Amino acid sequence: MTLPAPQAPDWLDAGRIRSALARNAAEDNKRVAEVLTKARELKGLDLDDVAVLAALTRPDLIEEMYATAKQIKEAIYGRRMVFFAPLYISNRCSNECLYCAFRASNKALVRHTLSQKEIARETEILISQGHKRVLMVAGESYAAAGGFGYVLDSIATIYSVQKGAGAIRRVNANLAPLTIEEFRALHGAGIGTYQLFQETYDREVYAATHPKGRKADFDWRVTAFDRAMTAGIDDVGMGILFGLADWRFEILALISHIAHLEERFGVGCHTISVPRMEPASGSDMATCPPQPVSDEDFKKLVAILRLAVPYTGLIMSTRENAEMRRETYALGVSQISAGSRTNPGGYADEQRFESGQFQLGDHRSLEEVVQDIAQMGYIPSFCTACYRVGRTGGDFMDLAKTGEIKEKCGPNAVGTFLEYLLDYSGPATLAAGEKAIAAEIAAMDTKDGRVAQRLADMVRAGKRDVFC
């Protein structure tokens, strides 16, 4: 099939981004105060604002930015933390991404494409752990498995699995860029969010690190969300692989991308992922990133993104270790994975790591992470309500931008967390969770507290999948 040649995006102006960074390179205390005040209005930041924050070095100002990020996250989403798990269905790929274990020339990797029976088995295991949403992931090579139809069949399989009273209620998809027709089919399959990482917005770096395969076409990849949203997918998730290029340039480019989608479609991205490069089988680049991001800069960029796009979900994966993940929760992170495996069949065969995409930093089980989160005072959430009642795209953003979405997120988090506790957790997690739920309901305003208590009472009475 011959694919149409995409046009170079006019919204990605590298010169404009570098100019913004240059003119805001000197730390300006007055300007920082102005930007943080603007951020507290929950209306987002522009390129110059983000460049000002990216230049911060004074510890007291950085701490003030961190406190502002925490305030903004809780103003919009409260203290709930959404959980999900990745489900890798194939590690076959036709691309040559130099940092990735899945690249076509890596002979050290054991290749495997899951059958529908194997996908069903992986799904059963995730359900038995308590998961309600998964992120389906695949390399860019479906021909041997039946082409793009394999992806659609895999989504249907995941949705079809029942394990006791449990099921996966929402499948998000991390897939290579598609045509508009394929995106329409993906939308018709009932996915939640379509996720795609640009990896880097620096064209020169992109060309050097993606020498072969369809992914070598920068413009085809960077315009994928335009095709997805044209096809009707109104929830999209962006991401950058930090370590390839200057992180300051990357976050300004990301803000430019979001602004473009808002201008063209009236809605920006639903989530932003912030993976740092981790070691991967057979990749020297993954072990020694071209432009590594320090822990301090990593925390800064997480906080900056929360201030710049306050209504967007920030995702922290298990690439990071447990300590770093804990630190970022207070900086604006609102979604996390747990108990992850990055290899096809990894949940059924826990000893098989040789086919993983990268090395994990956090190896704890879902229950261990849930207990940790609850003891920190957060509310683990397994909610999928917005997707299922059509509260997506512009409808979701209208509530998120005003902070009203918390009226849904808070009670729904309580209900789904209690469902997890009663059906899947051990005694210690149950005790920690019950304490966290009681404190959360007590801290809610009267209306939200009543709704949360009603959902909790329904769950205790034996009902499941209740939400507002």
Side-chain angles (χ1 to χ4, degrees), residues 299-321:
K299 289 186 288 185
K300 280 172 58 177
L301 73 86
V302 170
I304 291 169
L305 288 174
R306 172 51 66 206
L307 272 58
V309 266
Y311 49 84
T312 298
L314 285 184
I315 298 176
M316 182 61 58
S317 78
T318 49
R319 283 176 178 260
E320 299 296 331
N321 62 36

Side-chain angles (χ1 to χ4, degrees), residues 2-308:
T2 301
L3 298 174
Q7 293 184 336
D10 56 9
W11 53 263
L12 182 56
D13 187 336
R16 179 170 173 246
I17 291 171
R18 292 194 170 96
S19 293
L21 289 170
R23 66 175 167 265
N24 295 288
E27 202 163 27
D28 183 333
N29 297 352
K30 181 180 178 182
R31 184 77 176 94
V32 171
E34 291 173 350
V35 172
L36 294 180
T37 297
K38 179 180 178 181
R40 294 184 191 102
E41 297 174 357
L42 308 182
K43 295 180 181 178
L45 303 176
D46 61 28
L47 291 189
D48 280 293
D49 298 331
V50 173
V52 166
L53 298 181
L56 279 181
T57 59
R58 275 183 48 180
D60 59 326
L61 294 178
I62 292 173
E63 287 303 317
E64 185 178 355
M65 179 175 70
Y66 289 172
T68 303
K70 180 176 184 290
Q71 175 188 339
I72 289 172
K73 188 268 179 179
E74 293 186 4
I76 294 178
Y77 290 117
R79 292 183 63 77
R80 71 96 163 106
M81 194 74 71
V82 172
F83 277 74
F84 72 95
L87 200 172
Y88 282 70
I89 61 173
S90 175
N91 61 7
R92 299 183 191 279
C93 194
S94 57
N95 294 312
E96 281 294 340
C97 310
L98 300 185
Y99 49 81
C100 183
F102 287 5
R103 69 189 184 283
S105 64
N106 186 9
K107 303 303 182 184
L109 191 75
V110 177
R111 305 287 176 173
H112 190 54
T113 297
L114 299 184
S115 67
Q116 297 306 316
K117 183 177 180 180
E118 289 173 317
I119 292 171
R121 177 58 182 151
E122 293 284 280
T123 304
E124 286 181 354
I125 294 169
L126 289 172
I127 293 171
S128 69
Q129 293 172 356
H131 282 291
K132 302 301 181 193
R133 72 166 77 187
V134 300
L135 174 66
M136 190 186 74
V137 188
E140 191 168 4
S141 181
Y142 316 125
F148 183 61
Y150 168 71
V151 171
L152 301 179
D153 290 344
S154 299
I155 295 170
T157 295
I158 295 169
Y159 277 133
S160 72
V161 176
Q162 288 282 142
K163 180 71 173 176
I168 297 300
R169 296 169 182 165
R170 185 53 49 190
V171 178
N172 298 332
N174 184 317
L175 300 168
L178 305 170
T179 64
I180 291 177
E181 292 72 22
E182 288 170 331
F183 274 125
R184 287 198 180 105
L186 190 65
H187 180 50
I191 68 159
T193 300
Y194 169 68
Q195 186 185 82
L196 179 71
F197 298 170
Q198 182 57 32
E199 318 295 14
T200 176
Y201 286 94
D202 185 312
R203 281 184 178 273
E204 292 185 5
V205 173
Y206 189 96
T209 52
H210 304 89
K212 295 180 181 178
R214 184 55 174 156
K215 193 171 175 177
D217 189 335
F218 180 97
D219 292 329
W220 176 252
R221 192 169 187 86
V222 84
T223 56
F225 290 133
D226 291 76
R227 296 191 299 280
M229 297 182 91
T230 297
I233 296 175
D234 55 6
D235 273 4
V236 298
M238 296 181 174
I240 296 164
L241 182 56
F242 289 102
L244 288 175
D246 180 2
W247 68 266
R248 300 164 184 83
F249 176 90
E250 300 285 30
I251 61 173
L252 266 69
L254 183 71
I255 299 303
S256 300
H257 200 169
I258 294 168
H260 159 70
L261 294 182
E262 289 184 333
E263 180 179 356
R264 181 177 178 187
F265 298 101
V267 60
C269 61
H270 187 73
T271 60
I272 297 173
S273 298
V274 290
R276 275 195 295 184
M277 198 179 300
E278 293 293 336
S281 170
S283 172
D284 292 336
M285 178 178 290
T287 302
C288 301
Q291 297 203 42
V293 178
S294 69
D295 287 352
E296 290 308 311
D297 282 343
F298 185 62
K299 289 186 288 185
K300 280 172 58 177
L301 73 86
V302 170
I304 291 169
L305 288 174
R306 172 51 66 206
L307 272 58

Side-chain angles (χ1 to χ4, degrees), residues 321-339:
N321 62 36
E323 181 180 355
M324 176 55 68
R325 278 168 38 108
R326 290 188 190 100
E327 291 189 50
T328 62
Y329 299 158
L331 304 179
V333 166
S334 56
Q335 297 189 24
I336 60 172
S337 53

